[in-house]
Amino acid sequence: MDENTADAFVNRDEPVPLLAFSGTTGSSPDPESKRSRLRESISNSKLKEKLQDGASSRSETGFSLQDRLLTKLLQQVIPTENIEEVLDLPPDKRSSKYIGRPGFSIPLMTNNFRRFNSRIGIVFVFQTRLIRLLTWRNPIHTLSLLAVCTFVCLDPYLLAVLPVAAALLFVMVPAYLVRHPAPPPTIVHSSYSINGPPLAPPRTIKPAAEMSKDFFRNMRDLQNSMDDFSTAHDGVLKIITPPTNFSNEALSSTIFLFLFVSTCTLFIVSHLLPWRLMSLFFCWASIILGHPSVQQFVLNNRESHLRPHERKAQTWLDAWIARDIVLDGPPETREVEVYELQRRKGGRQGEWESWIFSPNPYDPLSPQRIAGERPKGTRFFEDVCAPKGWEWGDKKWILDLGSREWVEERMVQGVEVEVEGERWVTDLVSDDETGSTPKRGKKISPGWEESDGQGPSGMWRRRRWIRMVRRKGVSSTNDKAG
């Protein structure tokens, strides 16, 4: 193994510390559940396509024989059928057919990881120094940070100075000192002179060499950072998700109400708040809480001082929710409709036969009728189901006696309406059926007429049935699913 790589940014101090939350462990998830999630989230045909795109769009020269064999093996194992075409799914815009980026490739992924790991050291150096700064490893440095934060909080315009000053102090000055180093301590000198020609070559930043100590230090810190992100992600979701996903509707409704009131209040009085002092307080409090002694003091006194106030606040919140948040109202109810369609059998003088129960009236000027399509629905009344997420609120269907009203509301034309009896709405006889000469190309009357059920009529008739439905809760849905 090689030694350290010269002119490379690598964290050569202690490893990046791991985050930890109470109740969480760093162990890997169950392999069975991980495999099942992988099968659900990855499309085999899409992965096959990406492997083929990656293999064809990039030359395999430069990759090891093992990588090329693994890619070929995956191409043979993954099935070739296109699941998106079978299920009639929309095309995936992330596919390499639609964007000019390489597809998934094992050799390319390996090569990119090596390049990334050789160059990621500067991020871990910055992370380590920031942790040392915020944990008071060197109090002088942390106090200097507090001074800078104080100036910025009191005068926010100094934020424009920070990037320029950082480039000057952390980029330009160190680069100049590399080319003009100070004389060794054995030489007697009175001061450091900046005059004269450069005494050393400029410093260039190089990636860490593979199989070197710095390369494995980067892998160590990358491993720890991935664990930190996973732990922080799970910890944040554990805190935020339960009160905000309406699993407890009373608590989530309370949070929604507080956020709404806070939004309206801040929209009005935000210009009156002392934002500079508030930012200064928040900055000082955050940095001071990073001191080990302060953290230990807070942990030691939490049970005796903070716990009673937390329990008191929780009791007050629960009592307020129970008193003012009312969620046990009646479920939402709606009215649904279905049309019973009948068709003449054997011509204009034939008998009516039951045809279908359809959600549409299939009137003479409907798009389905004009396009020559057959009505859609179910043959039997018992097969009519409630909409998804709803359940029946009544025991049976009721015939809508207001046939004139629903015809006028839907502007149905070319029909005659029974205002008494069985309330059928029947097609008017067209010019082709009566044998008369059509006028101006019209074959169906543009309006509707009242019918007594004795005159000639068209080939279709319908009547409307209604029934009440109510929205179904989660518990009832789970019971039916079980």
Side-chain angles (χ1 to χ4, degrees):
M1 183 181 294
D2 299 336
E3 295 298 326
N4 300 334
T5 303
D7 299 333
F9 280 103
V10 179
N11 176 29
R12 298 189 179 94
D13 296 332
E14 67 273 9
V16 176
L18 292 176
L19 295 177
F21 292 94
S22 59
T24 60
T25 59
S27 59
S28 59
D30 185 13
E32 293 297 332
S33 61
K34 182 166 62 176
R35 283 195 292 269
S36 62
R37 290 195 301 269
L38 185 63
R39 287 194 298 268
E40 294 174 358
S41 60
I42 295 181
S43 171
N44 291 336
S45 59
K46 192 62 62 178
L47 183 57
K48 168 88 173 176
E49 175 189 346
K50 291 182 178 296
L51 286 172
Q52 292 176 346
D53 292 344
S56 60
S57 62
R58 188 179 182 90
S59 175
E60 293 184 351
T61 58
F63 296 132
S64 65
L65 179 61
Q66 180 181 1
D67 294 336
R68 293 199 297 270
L69 289 177
L70 181 58
T71 302
K72 295 297 183 182
L73 178 61
L74 289 177
Q75 291 178 1
Q76 296 297 326
V77 171
I78 298 174
T80 58
E81 62 269 10
N82 195 339
I83 299 180
E84 283 75 12
E85 294 181 358
V86 174
L87 299 179
D88 195 18
L89 297 177
D92 187 2
K93 297 302 182 182
R94 298 170 298 178
S95 175
S96 58
K97 291 183 178 180
Y98 304 95
I99 56 179
R101 300 298 296 271
F104 177 77
S105 173
I106 297 295
L108 185 59
M109 184 71 177
T110 304
N111 183 55
N112 288 344
F113 175 77
R114 292 171 179 169
R115 295 175 58 220
F116 176 80
N117 189 71
S118 300
R119 294 161 175 80
I120 194 62
I122 187 172
V123 176
F124 299 133
V125 170
F126 175 78
Q127 182 181 2
T128 303
R129 293 182 180 179
L130 182 63
I131 292 175
R132 293 172 63 88
L133 188 64
L134 296 178
T135 54
W136 296 77
R137 297 289 184 88
N138 191 331
I140 301 299
H141 293 172
T142 308
L143 291 175
S144 301
L145 176 63
L146 278 174
V148 173
C149 291
T150 302
F151 281 114
V152 172
C153 292
L154 296 179
D155 190 2
Y157 296 104
L158 293 178
L159 279 173
V161 182
L162 288 181
V164 180
L168 179 65
L169 296 177
F170 300 107
V171 177
M172 302 303 297
V173 172
Y176 182 84
L177 293 179
V178 169
R179 297 220 64 188
H180 299 269
T186 56
I187 300 178
V188 179
H189 60 281
S190 58
S191 62
Y192 176 68
S193 176
I194 61 175
N195 298 324
L199 304 178
R203 182 183 178 184
T204 57
I205 302 175
K206 299 179 180 179
E210 294 186 11
M211 304 306 294
S212 64
K213 290 183 178 180
D214 293 337
F215 187 82
F216 284 97
R217 288 191 181 101
N218 287 344
M219 292 187 66
R220 174 202 64 191
D221 292 335
L222 182 61
Q223 160 197 290
N224 296 342
S225 297
M226 289 189 294
D227 185 76
D228 287 344
F229 176 81
S230 301
T231 304
H233 178 272
D234 296 342
V236 170
L237 289 183
K238 184 179 179 181
I239 296 174
I240 295 179
T241 301
T244 57
N245 65 353
F246 285 87
S247 57
N248 184 350
E249 290 199 10
L251 179 59
S252 298
S253 301
T254 303
I255 295 176
F256 176 84
L257 180 62
F258 285 166
L259 291 177
F260 178 77
V261 173
S262 301
T263 302
C264 297
T265 304
L266 289 176
F267 186 78
I268 298 174
V269 303
S270 59
H271 65 286
L272 303 176
L273 298 177
W275 291 108
R276 297 184 179 183
L277 295 179
M278 293 170 59
S279 301
L280 181 63
F281 173 79
F282 177 77
C283 180
W284 274 74
S286 301
I287 297 178
I288 290 176
L289 285 177
H291 197 282
S293 301
V294 176
Q295 293 180 358
Q296 189 63 35
F297 175 79
V298 172
L299 292 176
N300 293 338
N301 294 274
R302 180 181 180 182
E303 294 295 332
S304 58
H305 293 82
L306 295 181
R307 284 294 184 183
H309 295 286
E310 291 179 1
R311 287 191 290 267
K312 184 178 180 180
Q314 185 65 37
T315 303
W316 175 85
L317 181 62
D318 295 340
W320 188 86
I321 292 175
R323 183 178 64 255
D324 294 340
I325 302 298
V326 180
L327 298 174
D328 55 351
E332 181 183 2
T333 58
R334 295 286 182 90
E335 184 182 81
V336 295
E337 62 181 6
V338 67
Y339 294 91
E340 180 185 359
L341 300 182
Q342 289 188 356
R343 188 175 185 271
R344 279 193 183 277
K345 182 179 180 181
R348 191 175 62 181
Q349 302 299 328
E351 298 181 355
W352 294 102
E353 64 174 345
S354 180
W355 191 260
I356 205 171
F357 291 91
S358 173
N360 301 313
Y362 199 65
D363 58 279
L365 298 181
S366 63
Q368 291 181 341
R369 190 83 168 268
I370 295 175
E373 299 177 358
R374 298 173 64 89
K376 298 179 180 179
T378 180
R379 291 281 296 175
F380 303 102
F381 219 157
E382 294 78 9
D383 295 335
V384 180
C385 300
K388 185 178 180 180
W390 299 76
E391 61 184 0
W392 298 120
D394 295 339
K395 294 184 178 180
K396 60 181 181 178
W397 291 88
I398 302 175
L399 177 63
D400 187 3
L401 301 179
S403 53
R404 176 188 294 181
E405 286 74 11
W406 70 260
V407 168
E408 291 179 347
E409 288 177 359
R410 288 157 179 77
M411 293 185 292
V412 177
Q413 298 182 359
V415 296
E416 55 182 5
V417 181
E418 290 185 7
V419 295
E420 296 180 356
E422 297 182 348
R423 301 305 197 273
W424 289 106
V425 177
T426 312
D427 294 348
L428 291 175
V429 180
S430 63
D431 295 335
D432 291 340
E433 294 175 344
T434 59
S436 60
T437 303
K439 298 180 180 180
R440 298 182 183 180
K442 294 183 180 179
K443 296 185 178 181
I444 298 177
S445 175
W448 60 272
E449 303 175 358
E450 291 187 5
S451 171
D452 55 2
Q454 303 298 327
S457 59
M459 296 295 297
W460 291 91
R461 69 176 184 176
R462 75 283 298 156
R463 58 181 176 180
R464 182 173 180 258
W465 296 83
I466 57 177
R467 191 173 180 180
M468 299 301 296
V469 293
R470 58 174 176 265
R471 190 175 291 277
K472 193 164 46 175
V474 176
S475 58
S476 58
T477 304
N478 294 336
D479 294 340
K480 286 184 179 287

